[in-house]
Amino acid sequence: MNINVTCYKGSASDSDRKVYQLDPMLKLSNVRDTLTNSGFLTADNGDDTAWRFVAAQSDSTAAEDALVNKSVENLVPLQGVLGGANQLICTNYLATRKPDLIGLGTDWFFNRYLGVKISLNNSDTDAKTTNASIKAFAPVMLTNVKPTSKNVVGIYDNVCVCVENSVVTFSLSSWGASGYQFYIGQDQGDPICDGSLNVCNFDTPNRYASTDMRRWAEKPQTIQIVGADSVGVTGGETLRFQKVTFRTRRITSYDQNGKTYASSAMPPARTGPAGLGGFRAQIADAASDFNNQRGLATAGQLETIPGDSIKPGGPVEGPPSQQNWGAPISNLQTDDWNQALGEVVVYFFVFNSWEQANRVINGYNAPDPNLWN
């Protein structure tokens, strides 16, 4: 019995998307013939075009797992690579610029004892107004991100993609002794937080605690994600603009209102499940700690971001924020930053347009519609 399969090969125009009636047991070699004969795909030219099918059900971003080798397409049925809403993703394995990106969708980015979540700012009045006016989607968070083209070398720790001009909140969850101090900054310009803000554990030390950062530490302005080109960032400065680093370190002692709070405890040993290798073991290990303490989610299904839909972005000062800080503390003692509890690095991109954002979020990566039946 045939099913409707939506095939994608980019997001720039309607011609990059086409619906076919296909047998889910049809081998991919036959699917390729159908797509090529209808003009949707072109034949490999050995130079800069070679279409490959993305294995949307893979739990790995390694090319040998996430992309179906053409030599085995005669063995793989269509249903083995479809996304949750019967999407078939085609990617150019020889792209020389603007390659597609694949990564594992996640709710939090992890490194050791630090977790970071990026969401829309729904607390500050002007932020809510701005996000509503641009019809902002929740930011797309992907971890262990890689380009699908063999001609583009590189791997991103973590990637966040937003509708341009989205106003966001950075949420941090970290273990702390008496508490923890945090840093948030790009590789260029003034940091969002230079490490001067603290999360205090008071009478309940040696635990995980969370905080939300909606503004720049030294300026009452929200955090807005814009395209690098919109603020005149070009060339070698682009990567420094889009790369944001989050760090935390232990607070071991401080005073407030005549009372001293102190703990020199070290964080607990991580206890993630055994039997996983490499990157996923690291994620599972960190997430296990967080799940025990905070109930946070781990990396999940493979998602694809077409390269023609995005451009480099990064944070700038946005509209005013009403966020304020708590009462001051004194006699603060912390670890050095070279003893950080964790370091999460995130690269920001923005969608070229709302229409392309919609195609990617509700097309390329749409969930199984039966989830709500």
Side-chain angles (χ1 to χ4, degrees):
M1 177 178 172
N2 290 349
I3 59 173
N4 283 332
V5 175
T6 307
C7 300
Y8 293 91
K9 61 171 184 178
S11 68
S13 66
D14 290 339
S15 63
D16 291 335
R17 169 188 176 276
K18 190 170 183 178
V19 179
Y20 291 84
Q21 284 272 325
L22 298 170
D23 183 341
M25 296 308 297
L26 192 66
K27 296 298 189 286
L28 288 179
S29 55
N30 299 120
V31 174
R32 176 181 291 276
D33 290 341
T34 298
L35 271 55
T36 302
N37 292 336
S38 67
F40 184 73
L41 294 184
T42 56
D44 292 2
N45 65 12
D47 182 18
D48 59 4
T49 302
W51 295 103
R52 297 293 180 267
F53 298 116
V54 176
Q57 299 168 34
S58 174
D59 62 358
S60 168
T61 60
E64 60 269 24
D65 300 321
L67 304 183
V68 180
N69 192 299
K70 196 173 181 181
S71 66
V72 299
E73 286 181 359
N74 62 324
L75 303 175
V76 181
L78 173 62
Q79 69 176 9
V81 300
L82 291 178
N86 290 337
Q87 311 99 312
L88 178 63
I89 310 301
C90 308
T91 186
N92 185 3
Y93 182 59
L94 294 182
T96 55
R97 59 187 304 273
K98 295 186 178 181
D100 296 344
L101 300 178
I102 49 175
L104 300 173
T106 185
D107 294 325
W108 287 78
F109 297 131
F110 296 111
N111 178 260
R112 292 181 288 154
Y113 299 97
L114 170 63
V116 173
K117 180 181 178 69
I118 301 163
S119 57
L120 294 179
N121 181 337
N122 290 316
S123 298
D124 288 308
T125 302
D126 288 348
K128 292 173 64 176
T129 300
T130 298
N131 288 334
S133 69
I134 63 174
K135 298 187 289 185
F137 290 101
V140 177
M141 294 174 56
L142 301 176
T143 193
N144 197 27
V145 178
K146 298 176 182 176
T148 61
S149 173
K150 73 171 186 176
N151 289 327
V152 180
V153 178
I155 179 173
Y156 296 97
D157 304 65
N158 307 292
V159 162
C160 179
V161 190
C162 303
V163 173
E164 186 162 15
N165 295 314
S166 294
V167 184
V168 300
T169 295
F170 294 151
S171 299
L172 283 72
S173 185
S174 176
W175 189 90
S178 290
Y180 62 86
Q181 198 170 66
F182 61 92
Y183 169 92
I184 306 171
Q186 294 156 279
D187 270 11
Q188 61 96 50
D190 295 331
I192 294 169
C193 176
D194 64 0
S196 59
L197 293 180
N198 312 289
V199 177
C200 299
N201 286 340
F202 297 105
D203 292 320
T204 54
N206 314 325
R207 62 182 174 88
Y208 283 91
S210 296
T211 188
D212 289 338
M213 191 70 173
R214 307 197 314 261
R215 53 167 278 186
W216 295 67
E218 300 300 324
K219 306 166 189 175
Q221 306 299 126
T222 54
I223 303 164
Q224 190 167 32
I225 308 301
V226 302
D229 58 352
S230 72
V231 289
V233 175
T234 59
E237 292 298 303
T238 302
L239 190 64
R240 299 180 64 213
F241 176 72
Q242 67 179 144
K243 179 183 176 183
V244 178
T245 300
F246 301 78
R247 298 188 188 97
T248 59
R249 63 180 177 181
R250 284 191 314 160
I251 296 174
T252 54
S253 179
Y254 61 92
D255 296 343
Q256 188 179 67
N257 297 328
K259 181 176 180 178
T260 297
Y261 299 88
S263 172
S264 58
M266 297 299 292
R270 300 201 305 275
T271 56
L276 294 173
F279 171 79
R280 290 196 70 83
Q282 175 186 331
I283 290 296
D285 199 36
S288 177
D289 279 345
F290 277 93
N291 284 331
N292 289 339
Q293 300 285 341
R294 306 289 308 153
L296 307 181
T298 59
Q301 79 176 51
L302 188 72
E303 296 185 19
T304 303
I305 305 294
D308 64 8
S309 72
I310 56 175
K311 59 184 179 181
V316 298
E317 297 168 25
S321 170
Q322 288 78 54
Q323 185 175 23
N324 293 307
W325 316 132
I329 60 177
S330 59
N331 298 324
L332 180 69
Q333 296 183 32
T334 68
D335 288 338
D336 293 331
W337 281 113
N338 61 13
Q339 298 172 288
L341 292 161
E343 179 177 285
V344 171
V345 177
V346 181
Y347 294 86
F348 283 86
F349 291 85
V350 295
F351 288 106
N352 292 324
S353 67
W354 185 90
E355 289 74 20
Q356 285 175 293
N358 186 51
R359 288 191 187 107
V360 173
I361 294 169
N362 293 318
Y364 263 75
N365 302 301
D368 183 350
N370 293 319
L371 291 174
W372 287 272
N373 287 344

